Amino acid sequence: MLKIGRRSFVQSAMASIAGVSAASLPISAVRAQELPKPELSPEILKRARAAFARHDKRIWQRETMAIADFSAPSRIPRFHMLNMISGETTPLLVAHGKGSDPGHSGWVQHFSNVPGSEATSAGSYIAGESYVGQHGLSRRLIGLDPENDQAENRAIVIHAAWYVDPSLAAERGKIGRSQGCFAFSKDDIGQVLWRLGPGSLLYADKA
């Protein structure tokens, strides 16, 4: 189900958290309801929970776990923020890397951990500190597994991008590609950065 937090992270280094009413939901959250229904793969969910248990000592923010299910095409909200208490998820659009989809089909063809590949890496990540970069307020990621342990060296982060937008998904049947980062719409980046704070787990994979 689609669930929007009652507060949102304002996109600025001097951001403040304020209440959100139904009438002021982000446009992308409203439009997401018009996109194909997002469904988290049971197999990916199982692997994500196993990763949560495996990296238990590294995780100190346990309210939310993020799961990027790259079994789905980019036109579908496939980044699931799972509330570990209620079990409810918030599905959002997320881009994958150019190197994982050279032909820009909208589907992840393969993963890579190689520097310069511009590909998405599978595996478990711990969310790091936020910073302000070329894409505005962003968050660093630390790869915990052999298949993504170059994440910091590759500057794989969470950031906003113009090419992640529900209108693009609807019109073209896909969104744009990143250089391997987890890129979100400008309307959604706030809640991603707020809910997926330092010490949270992000798991990425495909069935």
Side-chain angles (χ1 to χ4, degrees):
M1 63 178 291
L2 180 68
K3 178 185 177 184
I4 303 299
R6 296 179 63 185
R7 295 184 297 177
S8 62
F9 191 102
V10 179
Q11 299 174 47
S12 166
M14 301 299 293
S16 62
I17 297 175
V20 176
S21 66
S24 62
L25 290 177
I27 293 175
S28 63
V30 175
R31 288 178 179 170
Q33 298 180 47
E34 302 172 2
L35 297 175
K37 182 180 179 181
E39 295 183 0
L40 176 58
S41 163
E43 176 59 27
I44 299 302
L45 176 58
K46 179 180 177 181
R47 295 179 197 172
R49 290 189 178 280
F52 193 92
R54 184 168 64 252
H55 297 295
D56 179 74
K57 293 182 179 180
R58 298 290 300 273
I59 304 167
W60 50 272
Q61 201 284 73
R62 298 168 175 276
E63 182 178 347
T64 301
M65 172 172 62
I67 305 172
D69 182 0
F70 289 115
S71 308
S74 66
R75 70 177 182 274
I76 294 177
R78 56 187 176 170
F79 188 86
H80 303 264
M81 288 196 293
L82 174 64
N83 183 311
M84 299 297 284
I85 299 174
S86 68
E88 295 180 327
T89 62
T90 304
L92 303 170
L93 288 172
V94 66
H96 55 252
K98 297 177 181 178
S100 289
D101 180 16
H104 201 183
S105 66
W107 296 80
V108 168
Q109 306 296 326
H110 66 273
F111 296 113
S112 177
N113 192 34
V114 178
S117 67
E118 296 192 333
T120 295
S121 295
S124 307
Y125 299 81
I126 281 289
E129 296 301 318
S130 62
Y131 68 98
V132 178
Q134 62 177 318
H135 298 289
L137 197 59
S138 308
R139 188 172 300 289
R140 304 185 194 282
L141 292 171
I142 302 166
L144 302 180
D145 298 323
E147 58 265 41
N148 70 348
D149 61 7
Q150 293 299 306
E152 289 181 280
N153 292 335
R154 296 179 59 208
I156 302 303
V157 302
I158 290 171
H159 67 74
W162 66 268
Y163 51 78
V164 181
D165 188 90
S167 61
L168 285 177
E171 294 168 12
R172 304 181 185 180
K174 59 190 175 185
I175 57 175
R177 298 165 298 168
S178 69
Q179 292 180 299
C181 293
F182 295 83
F184 298 86
S185 76
K186 294 181 179 180
D187 289 320
D188 290 337
I189 189 65
Q191 66 165 315
V192 175
L193 295 177
W194 167 52
R195 293 185 60 187
L196 200 67
S200 302
L201 184 75
L202 188 167
Y203 182 76
D205 207 346
K206 61 179 293 187

